[in-house]
């Protein structure tokens, strides 16, 4: 019996929740307490597949757990998380943290009072293609992001800004160390009752500008980010797992990682531009995210995306969405 290990369960075992179960049920640094879903037939199916307990009652799962991963539809996050936090359980909440900032603030207050952790599933922060940026000082002047996806009904319970764009908002907020100064945004509804295509431009207090386009009406998936800063340009294709870095160096400076070099006249000086394509070590971002949650519960790490960061991304997303609605009406 793994009695001293943290007991972690999953609530909501639909499309994404089943993957949480896959990772947590085989993780031998925890005791997997089981699963609950309002669709009990679905819960039983997943329990058979991963050889774990399924509970018809959420309270029963909660009573047997120290922490819960919440993978229910976004509109239910606030209620489900509140129940967990009030019972003194740590929560991993899939993104977005909640549907409204008021709900997020309420959860943050409760968690603070109950001394439990909130982690938010902004999985793109752990995209392997983003990791090479850790080796450089990142001070962006301009960021351009595109995230396009073919239409599926799943996720349309929230507008595209809360479904897709929020991933990029979270990444941008993690790269720019400055408050948002102003926002411009517009968007349209095409196939759902809410906004399906959105474009936003964020200007930060320090002058950084970020332009983000998100669409769930596309034939092919696109997930790209370009980061421009003094003497450096990074382009990342999240789908291909391809990161390319161009840097401006002094003409006599050496860079062992350079794959190609070209001379360049910049600022009236002889410079050179070097091209690098760092090796990307592939890993499963969800597995890594959950393992960060487990280590954080044990006090060995801190959450990569904590409740406050989830709340900040939501706040910007909602401001963007409100501006789009104002623009439409
Ligand atoms: P889904 O509809 O496939 O699954 C949700 C499951 O939750 C269903 O099985 C449903 O029966 C169950 N459920 C609904 N209300 C419940 C409740 N109150 N208690 C218990 N179970 C309940 O949805 P999904 O696509 O798996 O998305 C779930 C969440 O994950 C959403 O918040 C979504 O935004 C998020 N998500 C995040 C990413 C990411 O990239 N991080 C990707 C997909 C989905």
């Amino acid at each position: 019996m793994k009695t001293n290990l943290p007991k972690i369960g999953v609530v909501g075992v639909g499309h994404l929740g089943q993957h949480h179960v896959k990772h947590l049920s085989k993780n031998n640094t925890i005791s997997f307490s089981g699963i609950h879903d309002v669709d009990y037939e679905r819960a039983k199916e997943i329990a058979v597949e991963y050889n774990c307990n399924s509970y018809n009652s959420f309270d029963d799962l909660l009573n047997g757990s120290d922490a819960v991963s919440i993978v229910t539809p976004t509109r239910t996050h606030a209620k489900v998380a509140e129940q967990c936090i009030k019972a003194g359980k740590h929560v991993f909440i899939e993104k977005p943290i909640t549907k409204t900032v008021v709900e997020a603030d309420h959860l943050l207050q409760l968690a603070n009072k109950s001394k439990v952790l909130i982690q938010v599933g902004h999985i793109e922060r752990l995209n392997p293609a983003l990791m090479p940026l850790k080796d450089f000082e990142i001070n962006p002047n301009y960021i351009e992001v595109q995230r396009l996806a073919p239409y599926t009904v799943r996720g349309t319970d929230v507008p595209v800004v809360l479904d897709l764009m929020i991933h990029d908002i979270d990444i941008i907020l993690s790269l720019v160390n400055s408050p948002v100064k102003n926002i411009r945004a517009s968007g349209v509804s095409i196939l759902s009752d809410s906004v399906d295509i959105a474009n936003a431009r964020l200007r930060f207090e320090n002058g950084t500008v970020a332009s983000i386009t998100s669409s769930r009406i596309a034939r092919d998936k696109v997930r790209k980010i370009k980061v421009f800063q003094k003497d450096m340009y990074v382009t990342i294709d999240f789908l291909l797992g391809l990161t390319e870095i161009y840097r401006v160096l002094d003409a006599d400076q050496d860079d062992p990682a350079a794959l190609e070099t070209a001379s360049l006249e910049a600022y009236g000086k002889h410079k050179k531009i070097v091209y690098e394509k760092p090796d990307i070590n592939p890993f499963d971002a969800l597995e890594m995210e959950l393992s960060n949650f487990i280590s954080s519960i044990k006090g060995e790490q801190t959450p990569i995306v904590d409740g406050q960061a989830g709340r900040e991304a939501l706040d910007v997303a909602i401001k963007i969405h409100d501006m789009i609605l104002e623009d439409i009406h």
Side-chain angles (χ1 to χ4, degrees):
M1 279 278 283
K2 303 186 275 184
T3 45
N4 292 326
L5 300 178
K7 299 188 277 296
I8 306 185
V10 176
V11 52
V13 290
H15 172 72
L16 184 58
Q18 65 187 317
H19 297 290
H20 283 237
V21 178
K22 176 177 79 192
H23 291 302
L24 290 171
S25 63
K26 67 175 188 206
N27 187 312
N28 57 18
T29 70
I30 65 161
S31 168
F32 188 60
S33 47
I35 61 179
H36 164 74
D37 194 296
V38 284
D39 178 350
Y40 190 46
E41 289 309 309
R42 169 76 181 171
K44 283 196 288 193
E45 240 174 67
I46 295 293
V48 168
E49 190 171 345
Y50 294 101
N51 190 25
C52 63
N53 292 325
S54 61
Y55 294 94
N56 200 6
S57 143
F58 182 41
D59 283 338
D60 289 345
L61 174 68
L62 215 47
N63 287 337
S65 306
D66 302 310
V68 176
S69 189
I70 300 171
V71 204
T72 58
T74 302
R75 64 179 181 282
T76 67
H77 289 181
K79 195 166 164 230
V80 175
E82 176 171 350
Q83 207 177 331
C84 298
I85 294 170
K86 280 188 168 162
K89 316 297 176 180
H90 302 290
V91 286
F92 181 101
I93 310 175
E94 260 308 334
K95 63 103 271 251
I97 179 169
T98 48
K99 211 168 169 179
T100 70
V101 175
V102 172
E103 289 171 345
D105 282 337
H106 179 58
L107 293 185
L108 288 173
Q109 273 171 12
L110 283 180
N112 196 22
K113 211 164 107 188
S114 305
K115 306 223 171 333
V116 297
L117 277 180
I118 300 182
Q119 182 161 341
V120 185
H122 282 289
I123 194 165
E124 288 287 59
R125 203 85 85 81
L126 279 159
N127 193 301
L130 207 55
M131 297 304 129
L133 295 196
K134 289 186 190 311
D135 295 335
F136 298 92
E137 206 173 305
I138 300 297
N139 292 303
N141 294 111
Y142 187 77
I143 302 175
E144 191 179 289
V145 195
Q146 248 196 328
R147 184 176 293 262
L148 318 179
Y151 185 79
T152 60
V153 173
R154 197 181 318 108
T156 53
D157 70 318
V158 291
V160 71
V161 177
L162 289 185
D163 183 24
L164 300 184
M165 190 184 277
I166 196 164
H167 281 295
D168 301 310
I169 295 169
D170 172 64
I171 292 175
I172 290 167
L173 294 183
S174 76
L175 295 177
V176 182
N177 189 18
S178 177
V180 175
K181 185 175 170 193
N182 64 48
I183 296 172
R184 295 278 175 276
S186 43
V188 290
S189 298
I190 303 286
L191 289 179
S192 78
D193 293 334
S194 61
V195 173
D196 295 314
I197 302 177
N199 175 264
R201 201 184 71 229
L202 308 180
R203 179 175 274 282
F204 291 81
E205 299 275 354
N206 68 357
T208 305
V209 174
S211 169
I212 322 168
T213 301
S214 309
S215 167
R216 55 187 175 204
I217 316 279
R219 203 193 77 154
D220 300 311
K221 277 188 181 180
V222 175
R223 291 185 191 169
K224 288 183 179 170
I225 183 166
K226 296 181 165 100
V227 179
F228 300 81
Q229 65 183 46
K230 187 157 170 52
D231 291 341
M232 185 165 169
Y233 162 50
V234 183
T235 166
I236 300 176
D237 186 324
F238 288 119
L239 290 178
L240 292 181
L242 176 66
T243 304
E244 294 172 292
I245 300 175
Y246 300 83
R247 289 192 305 139
V248 176
L249 302 181
D250 287 337
D252 57 359
Q253 227 178 323
D254 276 334
D255 180 356
L259 293 179
E260 285 173 38
T261 304
S263 62
L264 177 82
E265 287 296 316
Y267 335 110
K269 289 184 186 152
H270 290 305
K271 295 274 187 181
K272 69 178 175 193
I273 187 154
V274 296
Y275 168 72
E276 296 168 31
K277 199 166 75 169
D279 287 337
I280 308 296
N281 300 320
F283 56 80
D284 188 310
L286 180 60
E287 190 174 15
M288 192 66 97
E289 206 179 20
L290 291 169
S291 124
N292 170 236
F293 179 55
I294 294 165
S295 302
S296 301
I297 291 171
K298 293 178 176 174
E300 297 162 0
Q301 290 182 4
T302 51
I304 287 164
V305 182
D306 62 13
Q308 188 63 37
R311 185 256 183 228
E312 298 312 326
L314 179 71
D315 182 41
V316 173
I318 286 182
K319 284 177 177 149
I320 290 172
H321 186 244
D322 286 350
M323 188 163 285
I324 292 173
L325 293 185
E326 220 172 89
D327 190 46
I328 290 177
H329 297 118

